[in-house]
Amino acid sequence: MVEGGISKADKTEFTECWNAVWRTPYIMKLALSAGIGGFLFGYDTGVISGALLYIREDFKDVDRKTWLQETIVSMAVAGAIFGAATGGWLNDKFGRKLSILIADVLFFAGALVMAIAPAPWVIIVGRIFVGLGVGMASMTAPLYISEASPHKIRGALVSMNGLLITGGQFLSYLINLAFTDVKGTWRWMLGIAGLPAVVQFLLMLALPESPRWLYRKGKVDESRDIIAKIYPAEEVENEMLAMKKSVEEEKEIEGSIGSSTFTQIKKAFGNTTCRRALYAGICVQVAQQFVGINTVMYYSPTIMQFAGIASNKTAVALSLITSGLNAVGSIVSMAFVDRYGRRRLMIISMVGIISCLIVLSVVFFQASAHAPAISGTETAHFGNNTCTAYASAPNPASWNCMKCLAKEAECGFCSNTNLYAPGACIAKTDALAGACKAEKRVWYTKGCPSKFGFLAVVFLALYIIVYSPGMGTVPWIVNSEIYPLRFRGVGGGLAAVSNWTSNLTVSLTFLTLTEHLGSSGTFLLFAGFSFLGLTAIFFLVPETKGMQFEEVEKLLQKGYSPFRKNSSSTKEVSDHTK
């Protein structure tokens, strides 16, 4: 998924990190305390996938109205866009520590509101609160960790924040599974996120502000005191001098491009080198979302039901596969990104994604084409004419399970005792669902019995395997490397906003697309978007592996072309910078 970045960190850096935190546990205390924000980010974006199944059961309006399901899911993303935008201002104005504390309050308030929600609109309000916290955490947690970490192990510690994000998503699926048979189900799933928020709030109260922020605000002595706890005594003064130089350069850059956001954006697009970097950076962030990843992460149990898995508990359990593979993929990416390069990993990832999406489209088409027929005898067994659309159809003998579950019919399918034989199309009521289940039959409302269902699970897993190490993490690495120094802040901000906005677009339209195009057509559409993304990456995104920032800038000044060797320009910069 996704929305959090994993910074570059090689094997040597992880070894150095282990040695440093063993000598100075205080470093790990800072990083882990702030990293809970990443964990909450992952948990709150992942937990809704399973909770939605049970929200639909408790609120019939949600079950009937696709737009309401999409709104419940996507409002956290909408809140995150605003939270990320305001988070930058809060970070600069009031500091990283206070921003994290505010995010914790929002996380806790959102979790509490959702847990006690008496109506769907209250859940939506809670999701907005949580989204605001997610947006702020996505901006602030890695920033605090990077500024409160020794520079030699900074990448490894910030990478840990990324792992906590995917770890939070994985745990959310485990929590979903744990509460499937507990009274209150989704209320516990959503409400339990308040506990880590309280833990982080209490931990952060005892921790200091970022030393870099304190230095920028003129609190030099306070900054030195914190640096002394992080670095060995002999390195403190050198680090203070380095910080002084860095802050002065930062202020000089701010003076040259202006302080207002609009002015910075205008100058960024007015600069040829930065404009090319923005094309590349925004391209990979939009492509990351339009391959459809968050349809899998937000709606994974629902997709499992589309594939013919009727049980909520089974759908949630199988969704653990996708979440677990996503977390593992983050580790794989960290191991290979500096060996094989950013561009190559993304291109290989996109080719795999397109292949999996096409196969998934075929699988869902076959599942629909071979859906069990509707039996008039089976239907009459549960009472004639309970499904009005079926009873009044001019040719009911042509109906199958998919026709019964279509939005126009809004009925349910009660399977035959032989699962794949013709079954009953009856009204979607609690009484008839209960009558169906009482006869040891299976009740379907989202997907139909299918011999192809297991293939959907297999290729969803393969989709995650090829997505996570490449398109899952590399776009964030590219955006950390590709912008000229003076435009790095505004460039990264524009790329992040494009990522969140694309995320919102996809999550807000997925279920509507499945209603109008079917699951098969929707996955084929994402395959088309992925092909466009692959084409854009091929033509716009250069390889930045092993290059200094100055080398990347020189490469973009000249203009990148996939058909031209760029080694000569790289060598020129290397010679120039010696």
Side-chain angles (χ1 to χ4, degrees), residues 468-492:
S468 186
M471 290 305 296
T473 56
V474 177
W476 295 98
I477 296 174
V478 169
N479 273 279
S480 72
E481 298 173 332
I482 203 166
Y483 301 107
L485 179 61
R486 59 193 178 281
F487 294 111
R488 195 155 297 149
V490 65

mmCIF file of all heavy atoms in Angstrom, residues 468-492:
data_model
loop_
_atom_site.group_PDB
_atom_site.id
_atom_site.type_symbol
_atom_site.label_atom_id
_atom_site.label_comp_id
_atom_site.label_asym_id
_atom_site.label_seq_id
_atom_site.Cartn_x
_atom_site.Cartn_y
_atom_site.Cartn_z
ATOM 1 N N SER A 468 4.493 -5.700 -3.932
ATOM 2 C CA SER A 468 5.086 -5.131 -2.721
ATOM 3 C C SER A 468 6.570 -4.783 -2.830
ATOM 4 O O SER A 468 6.969 -3.673 -2.470
ATOM 5 C CB SER A 468 4.837 -6.068 -1.537
ATOM 6 O OG SER A 468 5.275 -5.476 -0.332
ATOM 7 N N PRO A 469 7.435 -5.664 -3.341
ATOM 8 C CA PRO A 469 8.863 -5.321 -3.384
ATOM 9 C C PRO A 469 9.181 -4.223 -4.398
ATOM 10 O O PRO A 469 10.203 -3.555 -4.284
ATOM 11 C CB PRO A 469 9.536 -6.635 -3.787
ATOM 12 C CG PRO A 469 8.518 -7.693 -3.583
ATOM 13 C CD PRO A 469 7.206 -7.040 -3.805
ATOM 14 N N GLY A 470 8.325 -4.057 -5.403
ATOM 15 C CA GLY A 470 8.586 -3.069 -6.438
ATOM 16 C C GLY A 470 7.743 -1.822 -6.265
ATOM 17 O O GLY A 470 8.154 -0.849 -5.644
ATOM 18 N N MET A 471 6.529 -1.856 -6.789
ATOM 19 C CA MET A 471 5.664 -0.673 -6.751
ATOM 20 C C MET A 471 5.191 -0.339 -5.338
ATOM 21 O O MET A 471 4.726 0.770 -5.088
ATOM 22 C CB MET A 471 4.452 -0.889 -7.663
ATOM 23 C CG MET A 471 4.798 -0.895 -9.149
ATOM 24 S SD MET A 471 5.681 0.604 -9.689
ATOM 25 C CE MET A 471 4.446 1.868 -9.391
ATOM 26 N N GLY A 472 5.303 -1.272 -4.419
ATOM 27 C CA GLY A 472 4.865 -0.995 -3.054
ATOM 28 C C GLY A 472 5.774 -0.037 -2.317
ATOM 29 O O GLY A 472 5.311 0.801 -1.537
ATOM 30 N N THR A 473 7.078 -0.130 -2.537
ATOM 31 C CA THR A 473 8.032 0.667 -1.755
ATOM 32 C C THR A 473 8.915 1.587 -2.588
ATOM 33 O O THR A 473 9.289 2.662 -2.137
ATOM 34 C CB THR A 473 8.950 -0.259 -0.939
ATOM 35 O OG1 THR A 473 9.595 -1.169 -1.840
ATOM 36 C CG2 THR A 473 8.173 -1.062 0.084
ATOM 37 N N VAL A 474 9.242 1.183 -3.814
ATOM 38 C CA VAL A 474 10.216 1.941 -4.607
ATOM 39 C C VAL A 474 9.755 3.362 -4.947
ATOM 40 O O VAL A 474 10.580 4.285 -4.947
ATOM 41 C CB VAL A 474 10.597 1.161 -5.887
ATOM 42 C CG1 VAL A 474 11.548 1.976 -6.755
ATOM 43 C CG2 VAL A 474 11.246 -0.168 -5.508
ATOM 44 N N PRO A 475 8.462 3.624 -5.263
ATOM 45 C CA PRO A 475 8.071 5.006 -5.562
ATOM 46 C C PRO A 475 8.445 5.996 -4.466
ATOM 47 O O PRO A 475 8.811 7.144 -4.761
ATOM 48 C CB PRO A 475 6.546 4.906 -5.722
ATOM 49 C CG PRO A 475 6.337 3.527 -6.254
ATOM 50 C CD PRO A 475 7.351 2.678 -5.521
ATOM 51 N N TRP A 476 8.384 5.576 -3.198
ATOM 52 C CA TRP A 476 8.758 6.482 -2.106
ATOM 53 C C TRP A 476 10.266 6.721 -2.095
ATOM 54 O O TRP A 476 10.724 7.824 -1.783
ATOM 55 C CB TRP A 476 8.293 5.903 -0.766
ATOM 56 C CG TRP A 476 6.802 5.814 -0.675
ATOM 57 C CD1 TRP A 476 6.022 4.718 -0.909
ATOM 58 C CD2 TRP A 476 5.892 6.869 -0.362
ATOM 59 N NE1 TRP A 476 4.694 5.020 -0.747
ATOM 60 C CE2 TRP A 476 4.583 6.334 -0.402
ATOM 61 C CE3 TRP A 476 6.049 8.215 -0.023
ATOM 62 C CZ2 TRP A 476 3.452 7.094 -0.153
ATOM 63 C CZ3 TRP A 476 4.915 8.975 0.246
ATOM 64 C CH2 TRP A 476 3.636 8.412 0.176
ATOM 65 N N ILE A 477 11.032 5.699 -2.435
ATOM 66 C CA ILE A 477 12.489 5.858 -2.491
ATOM 67 C C ILE A 477 12.869 6.802 -3.619
ATOM 68 O O ILE A 477 13.700 7.701 -3.462
ATOM 69 C CB ILE A 477 13.172 4.485 -2.670
ATOM 70 C CG1 ILE A 477 12.898 3.602 -1.459
ATOM 71 C CG2 ILE A 477 14.673 4.640 -2.876
ATOM 72 C CD1 ILE A 477 13.405 2.180 -1.590
ATOM 73 N N VAL A 478 12.242 6.616 -4.796
ATOM 74 C CA VAL A 478 12.507 7.491 -5.941
ATOM 75 C C VAL A 478 12.223 8.941 -5.574
ATOM 76 O O VAL A 478 13.009 9.851 -5.887
ATOM 77 C CB VAL A 478 11.654 7.058 -7.155
ATOM 78 C CG1 VAL A 478 11.710 8.111 -8.266
ATOM 79 C CG2 VAL A 478 12.128 5.712 -7.693
ATOM 80 N N ASN A 479 11.111 9.178 -4.889
ATOM 81 C CA ASN A 479 10.752 10.553 -4.541
ATOM 82 C C ASN A 479 11.671 11.152 -3.479
ATOM 83 O O ASN A 479 11.720 12.373 -3.324
ATOM 84 C CB ASN A 479 9.291 10.613 -4.076
ATOM 85 C CG ASN A 479 8.334 10.785 -5.229
ATOM 86 O OD1 ASN A 479 8.129 11.881 -5.722
ATOM 87 N ND2 ASN A 479 7.761 9.685 -5.699
ATOM 88 N N SER A 480 12.384 10.325 -2.757
ATOM 89 C CA SER A 480 13.338 10.859 -1.771
ATOM 90 C C SER A 480 14.664 11.227 -2.428
ATOM 91 O O SER A 480 15.505 11.872 -1.809
ATOM 92 C CB SER A 480 13.573 9.838 -0.658
ATOM 93 O OG SER A 480 14.346 8.745 -1.133
ATOM 94 N N GLU A 481 14.871 10.830 -3.694
ATOM 95 C CA GLU A 481 16.167 10.999 -4.344
ATOM 96 C C GLU A 481 16.154 11.918 -5.554
ATOM 97 O O GLU A 481 17.201 12.388 -5.988
ATOM 98 C CB GLU A 481 16.700 9.632 -4.799
ATOM 99 C CG GLU A 481 16.936 8.643 -3.685
ATOM 100 C CD GLU A 481 17.302 7.265 -4.180
ATOM 101 O OE1 GLU A 481 16.895 6.890 -5.292
ATOM 102 O OE2 GLU A 481 18.005 6.554 -3.441
ATOM 103 N N ILE A 482 14.983 12.182 -6.117
ATOM 104 C CA ILE A 482 14.951 12.707 -7.477
ATOM 105 C C ILE A 482 14.876 14.236 -7.568
ATOM 106 O O ILE A 482 15.180 14.820 -8.617
ATOM 107 C CB ILE A 482 13.766 12.071 -8.247
ATOM 108 C CG1 ILE A 482 14.007 12.138 -9.749
ATOM 109 C CG2 ILE A 482 12.447 12.717 -7.855
ATOM 110 C CD1 ILE A 482 13.089 11.256 -10.550
ATOM 111 N N TYR A 483 14.514 14.913 -6.486
ATOM 112 C CA TYR A 483 14.303 16.364 -6.575
ATOM 113 C C TYR A 483 15.566 17.147 -6.241
ATOM 114 O O TYR A 483 16.321 16.761 -5.335
ATOM 115 C CB TYR A 483 13.173 16.801 -5.631
ATOM 116 C CG TYR A 483 11.870 16.118 -5.933
ATOM 117 C CD1 TYR A 483 11.374 15.129 -5.093
ATOM 118 C CD2 TYR A 483 11.148 16.426 -7.076
ATOM 119 C CE1 TYR A 483 10.187 14.468 -5.381
ATOM 120 C CE2 TYR A 483 9.951 15.789 -7.376
ATOM 121 C CZ TYR A 483 9.485 14.809 -6.528
ATOM 122 O OH TYR A 483 8.304 14.155 -6.829
ATOM 123 N N PRO A 484 15.800 18.274 -6.951
ATOM 124 C CA PRO A 484 16.900 19.168 -6.554
ATOM 125 C C PRO A 484 16.703 19.611 -5.109
ATOM 126 O O PRO A 484 15.562 19.756 -4.640
ATOM 127 C CB PRO A 484 16.747 20.355 -7.523
ATOM 128 C CG PRO A 484 15.987 19.811 -8.685
ATOM 129 C CD PRO A 484 15.069 18.766 -8.121
ATOM 130 N N LEU A 485 17.804 19.844 -4.397
ATOM 131 C CA LEU A 485 17.749 20.132 -2.968
ATOM 132 C C LEU A 485 16.770 21.246 -2.633
ATOM 133 O O LEU A 485 15.970 21.130 -1.712
ATOM 134 C CB LEU A 485 19.153 20.489 -2.457
ATOM 135 C CG LEU A 485 19.262 20.852 -0.972
ATOM 136 C CD1 LEU A 485 18.833 19.678 -0.106
ATOM 137 C CD2 LEU A 485 20.678 21.288 -0.625
ATOM 138 N N ARG A 486 16.818 22.330 -3.389
ATOM 139 C CA ARG A 486 15.989 23.487 -3.040
ATOM 140 C C ARG A 486 14.490 23.234 -3.239
ATOM 141 O O ARG A 486 13.654 23.984 -2.736
ATOM 142 C CB ARG A 486 16.422 24.711 -3.861
ATOM 143 C CG ARG A 486 16.332 24.528 -5.361
ATOM 144 C CD ARG A 486 17.083 25.664 -6.084
ATOM 145 N NE ARG A 486 17.055 25.505 -7.532
ATOM 146 C CZ ARG A 486 17.827 24.675 -8.209
ATOM 147 N NH1 ARG A 486 18.677 23.888 -7.566
ATOM 148 N NH2 ARG A 486 17.755 24.604 -9.523
ATOM 149 N N PHE A 487 14.144 22.163 -4.000
ATOM 150 C CA PHE A 487 12.737 21.859 -4.234
ATOM 151 C C PHE A 487 12.316 20.528 -3.606
ATOM 152 O O PHE A 487 11.240 20.011 -3.909
ATOM 153 C CB PHE A 487 12.450 21.802 -5.742
ATOM 154 C CG PHE A 487 12.606 23.116 -6.451
ATOM 155 C CD1 PHE A 487 13.646 23.314 -7.337
ATOM 156 C CD2 PHE A 487 11.730 24.157 -6.228
ATOM 157 C CE1 PHE A 487 13.810 24.518 -8.001
ATOM 158 C CE2 PHE A 487 11.870 25.369 -6.877
ATOM 159 C CZ PHE A 487 12.919 25.558 -7.762
ATOM 160 N N ARG A 488 13.171 19.991 -2.736
ATOM 161 C CA ARG A 488 12.896 18.646 -2.217
ATOM 162 C C ARG A 488 11.617 18.613 -1.376
ATOM 163 O O ARG A 488 10.836 17.669 -1.452
ATOM 164 C CB ARG A 488 14.089 18.151 -1.405
ATOM 165 C CG ARG A 488 14.043 16.649 -1.134
ATOM 166 C CD ARG A 488 15.426 16.094 -0.904
ATOM 167 N NE ARG A 488 16.240 16.254 -2.105
ATOM 168 C CZ ARG A 488 17.553 16.425 -2.090
ATOM 169 N NH1 ARG A 488 18.198 16.460 -0.953
ATOM 170 N NH2 ARG A 488 18.221 16.549 -3.211
ATOM 171 N N GLY A 489 11.386 19.631 -0.582
ATOM 172 C CA GLY A 489 10.194 19.662 0.271
ATOM 173 C C GLY A 489 8.915 19.767 -0.532
ATOM 174 O O GLY A 489 7.983 18.965 -0.362
ATOM 175 N N VAL A 490 8.856 20.738 -1.440
ATOM 176 C CA VAL A 490 7.628 20.940 -2.219
ATOM 177 C C VAL A 490 7.415 19.782 -3.195
ATOM 178 O O VAL A 490 6.280 19.351 -3.411
ATOM 179 C CB VAL A 490 7.670 22.305 -2.973
ATOM 180 C CG1 VAL A 490 8.763 22.330 -4.027
ATOM 181 C CG2 VAL A 490 6.317 22.596 -3.606
ATOM 182 N N GLY A 491 8.509 19.230 -3.756
ATOM 183 C CA GLY A 491 8.372 18.096 -4.672
ATOM 184 C C GLY A 491 7.825 16.869 -3.975
ATOM 185 O O GLY A 491 6.897 16.214 -4.476
ATOM 186 N N GLY A 492 8.387 16.549 -2.809
ATOM 187 C CA GLY A 492 7.891 15.407 -2.046
ATOM 188 C C GLY A 492 6.450 15.592 -1.608
ATOM 189 O O GLY A 492 5.657 14.647 -1.610
#
